[in-house]
Amino acid sequence: MKRPTSISVISVLFLIVGAVAGFQILNSLFNNNLYLDSGVLMIPVGLGLLKGRASSRGWAKFWIALFAVISGILLLFYPFLGGSYTVTIFGRSLAGTERHLVAVGLPVLTLLLARWMWRILTSAAAAPFFDDYLPRPRRTNRIPDLPFPPTPL
């Protein structure tokens, strides 16, 4: 089956997020810092989605659910802890209405994007693309099973 365009878009989004995380890790290493970002694990997920691997669809759903939960928690606590939120974009600290719009708008956009990706990955139209993927058979160097107890000759 041909890969749906929406799956390609989701794959590219995962690859971009993973590449940005990888770039941040490398950049920190060149600046004598240690910065670990689990977002780099999205690279194999994006590649697996491009190949149609069912396991990558499961991992993509895990990442989507994780970010949806985090965004939901941010939105839930914002009315109570909004004064302590610091919003910085491109090195510029935001204040006032601008800060509130970004602090609420980004999690809302993340939730909308997560909802769209979840609907695509769980849709009936995308299922055949993933279900058609058949992994290569594993090679085993096992000794063939012998009957036990051995039969006399």
Side-chain angles (χ1 to χ4, degrees):
M1 176 182 179
K2 187 178 180 233
R3 180 176 51 245
T5 307
S6 55
I7 297 296
S8 298
V9 170
I10 293 171
S11 301
V12 169
L13 287 174
F14 271 89
L15 289 171
I16 289 171
V17 170
V20 168
F23 177 75
Q24 288 176 340
I25 292 171
L26 289 176
N27 190 26
S28 71
L29 289 175
F30 288 127
N31 292 324
N32 295 325
N33 292 326
L34 181 61
Y35 176 77
L36 299 176
D37 191 345
S38 60
V40 76
L41 297 174
M42 290 188 189
I43 293 173
V45 174
L47 292 173
L49 287 174
L50 286 173
K51 293 178 182 179
R53 295 181 188 256
S55 62
S56 291
R57 181 170 65 162
W59 279 108
K61 287 167 41 178
F62 166 78
W63 283 108
I64 292 166
L66 178 68
F67 283 110
V69 167
I70 291 170
S71 296
I73 290 172
L74 285 173
L75 283 174
L76 182 68
F77 285 115
Y78 187 73
F80 307 108
L81 303 172
S84 64
Y85 282 29
T86 303
V87 180
T88 305
I89 295 183
F90 300 115
R92 181 176 157 245
S93 186
L94 302 180
T97 306
E98 200 175 42
R99 179 178 64 112
H100 295 302
L101 287 175
V102 172
V104 172
L106 283 178
V108 167
L109 288 175
T110 302
L111 285 172
L112 292 173
L113 181 65
R115 175 69 180 141
W116 174 76
M117 289 192 293
W118 188 273
R119 287 187 68 198
I120 295 297
L121 289 174
T122 58
S123 69
F129 173 67
F130 292 104
D131 295 338
D132 285 346
Y133 177 77
L134 297 174
R136 283 186 241 150
R138 293 174 68 185
R139 288 187 175 183
T140 59
N141 293 328
R142 287 183 37 194
I143 299 172
D145 292 331
L146 299 174
F148 188 80
T151 55
L153 298 175

